[in-house]
Amino acid sequence: MKIPQGAKRVFQGVIFDVYQWPQKMFDGSLATFEAFKRADSSAVITVVGDKILIQKQEQPDSKKSYVSLPGGRNDENEDPLDGAKRELLEETGYVSEDWELLYTREPFYKAEWTMYYYVARKCQYQQEPKLDGGEKITNTLISLEEFIMLSENPDFYEPDFTNFLLRLRLDPKKLEEFKNLLFK
Amino acid sequence: MKIPQGAKRVFQGVIFDVYQWPQKMFDGSLATFEAFKRADSSAVITVVGDKILIQKQEQPDSKKSYVSLPGGRNDENEDPLDGAKRELLEETGYVSEDWELLYTREPFYKAEWTMYYYVARKCQYQQEPKLDGGEKITNTLISLEEFIMLSENPDFYEPDFTNFLLRLRLDPKKLEEFKNLLFK
């Protein structure tokens, strides 16, 4: 969503800023509406040869590890593609000169927050990953078939992208198009 | 997620409460972590005869209408099943004596927020819906086949449940089980 102009920022946090505004209801009355804003995030489908790179991550505040795509929060005023390139390099050490935006999604109605899904083709390993003190990440290369089947992996915590993968499994034509998009 | 005991509530809003805590990182340093808490929500798969009830809704802060399941935010300390029953009656006028929890999901990592998906079988119309000033809702009965195909409707704004529907379409056995669950 787009938080209305004139909404008041009532909280500024480390991740979440909360806004409120008086909203006219259908019956003419006014109510206080609330939504949050957070940095947009980028995720990267990282093509390395005929494989795709995925990550196993641990978070300092959880005992469970999970599987994810490289990516993360964009810095303030950072272009989402620049954020994707920066995160890919930091987390994996890979670079690409062949990027394409796959799709965007607003995962949550009461938030001004967009997720950008990029394809990075023909990735090349450039340098050691630079993880910060809050990151523990292992990178693995898997086949396209294994990648599609992440949709059955309960540790793959990308609800929206799981949706995308399930649709590929439902439609062989879509899957073929996606394969061409990755490896063209 | 479960916000750690001892986390400090740094903001209390209309919908969102924000918490912060000092988190020990993997390298031993401390960082301020943040997450929000909001009321859990319930959604109802509402079985009426051999049909399922869905809604077309408008929100006061958006020009676009969308399609949804009956349900909404639980009141403070309200049992999620009681919340589901209350919302179903308020929004549709229907009641059921045959409820079952289908599944629960935490839609978002940085939040203490659970969504409950219930099946309400053999629903009976009891009274006129009681909408509040911020609700404009039309209820419609559709077939199971149409219900499953909500997964292709861009106006159906339930990303997680879309996932559930896509899985039914991928697996005829799961679909048969779901049908039995609704109409048994």
Side-chain angles (χ1 to χ4, degrees):
Chain A
M1 76 172 302
K2 187 83 191 143
I3 291 172
Q5 278 207 331
K8 197 180 156 198
R9 186 175 66 200
V10 290
F11 174 75
Q12 184 172 20
V14 183
I15 300 177
F16 302 107
D17 293 347
V18 184
Y19 290 76
Q20 291 181 344
W21 65 95
Q23 178 66 49
K24 201 174 177 182
M25 306 297 263
F26 294 120
D27 61 2
S29 65
L30 283 177
T32 300
F33 266 38
E34 189 173 271
F36 69 78
K37 198 168 173 171
R38 48 156 286 168
D40 291 337
S41 34
S42 297
V44 184
I45 296 129
T46 307
V47 184
V48 180
D50 62 350
K51 303 279 190 197
I52 299 166
L53 183 150
I54 59 157
Q55 308 186 316
K56 200 166 171 179
Q57 279 206 48
E58 288 172 64
Q59 291 286 332
D61 61 343
S62 170
K63 283 189 186 92
K64 272 186 65 179
S65 68
Y66 62 98
V67 175
S68 66
L69 305 175
R73 280 203 293 278
N74 299 330
D75 292 336
E76 214 181 320
N77 299 320
E78 187 179 37
D79 175 84
L81 176 56
D82 291 340
K85 289 178 179 178
R86 180 183 50 71
E87 289 281 355
L88 184 65
L89 184 60
E90 285 173 8
E91 292 184 350
T92 73
Y94 278 87
V95 293
S96 166
E97 294 184 344
D98 191 2
W99 290 79
E100 184 168 332
L101 180 63
L102 184 64
Y103 72 90
T104 65
R105 193 76 78 213
E106 298 190 18
F108 183 39
Y109 182 64
K110 294 270 181 199
E112 187 168 322
W113 171 28
T114 303
M115 296 196 63
Y116 293 79
Y117 291 88
Y118 287 99
V119 172
R121 295 187 198 91
K122 302 186 189 82
C123 290
Q124 300 283 342
Y125 187 74
Q126 189 173 74
Q127 64 190 49
E128 283 284 306
K130 276 186 196 166
L131 302 180
D132 69 39
E135 291 177 314
K136 254 193 194 178
I137 297 178
T138 321
N139 297 305
T140 317
L141 298 178
I142 61 174
S143 69
L144 178 62
E145 290 65 34
E146 290 169 309
F147 185 69
I148 304 293
M149 292 312 288
L150 284 178
S151 50
E152 296 299 320
N153 186 337
D155 298 333
F156 183 60
Y157 199 75
E158 304 255 0
D160 192 81
F161 194 70
T162 295
N163 221 296
F164 180 86
L165 293 176
L166 289 169
R167 287 182 197 285
L168 294 182
R169 288 169 58 195
L170 269 167
D171 185 343
K173 210 181 127 216
K174 257 190 203 154
L175 178 55
E176 196 55 35
E177 281 169 11
F178 183 63
K179 201 172 167 175
N180 289 335
L181 183 79
L182 297 191
F183 300 111
K184 78 178 173 196
Chain B
M1 77 173 301
K2 188 83 192 145
I3 291 171
Q5 278 207 332
K8 196 181 157 195
R9 186 175 67 199
V10 290
F11 174 75
Q12 184 171 20
V14 182
I15 300 178
F16 302 107
D17 293 347
V18 184
Y19 289 77
Q20 292 181 343
W21 65 96
Q23 177 66 49
K24 200 172 179 184
M25 308 296 264
F26 294 120
D27 61 2
S29 65
L30 282 178
T32 300
F33 266 38
E34 189 173 271
F36 68 80
K37 198 168 173 171
R38 48 156 286 168
D40 291 337
S41 34
S42 296
V44 185
I45 296 128
T46 308
V47 183
V48 181
D50 61 350
K51 305 280 191 197
I52 299 166
L53 183 149
I54 59 157
Q55 308 187 314
K56 200 166 171 179
Q57 279 207 48
E58 288 172 63
Q59 290 286 332
D61 61 342
S62 169
K63 283 189 185 88
K64 273 187 64 181
S65 67
Y66 63 98
V67 176
S68 66
L69 305 175
R73 281 202 293 279
N74 298 330
D75 292 336
E76 215 180 317
N77 298 322
E78 187 179 37
D79 176 83
L81 176 57
D82 291 340
K85 290 179 179 178
R86 180 184 48 73
E87 289 279 356
L88 184 65
L89 185 60
E90 286 173 6
E91 292 184 349
T92 73
Y94 278 87
V95 294
S96 165
E97 293 184 346
D98 191 1
W99 289 79
E100 184 167 334
L101 181 63
L102 184 63
Y103 71 91
T104 67
R105 192 77 79 213
E106 298 190 17
F108 184 39
Y109 181 63
K110 293 271 180 199
E112 188 169 320
W113 171 29
T114 303
M115 297 194 63
Y116 294 79
Y117 290 88
Y118 288 99
V119 172
R121 295 187 199 91
K122 302 188 189 83
C123 291
Q124 299 283 342
Y125 187 75
Q126 187 173 76
Q127 63 190 52
E128 283 285 304
K130 275 187 197 165
L131 302 179
D132 69 39
E135 291 178 313
K136 254 193 194 178
I137 297 178
T138 321
N139 296 305
T140 318
L141 297 178
I142 61 175
S143 69
L144 178 62
E145 291 65 34
E146 290 169 307
F147 186 69
I148 303 295
M149 291 313 288
L150 284 179
S151 50
E152 296 300 318
N153 186 338
D155 298 332
F156 182 61
Y157 199 76
E158 302 256 0
D160 192 81
F161 193 71
T162 295
N163 224 299
F164 180 85
L165 293 177
L166 289 169
R167 288 182 198 284
L168 293 182
R169 288 170 59 195
L170 268 166
D171 186 342
K173 208 181 127 217
K174 256 188 204 155
L175 178 55
E176 197 53 35
E177 282 169 12
F178 183 63
K179 200 172 166 175
N180 289 336
L181 183 78
L182 298 191
F183 300 111
K184 78 179 173 197

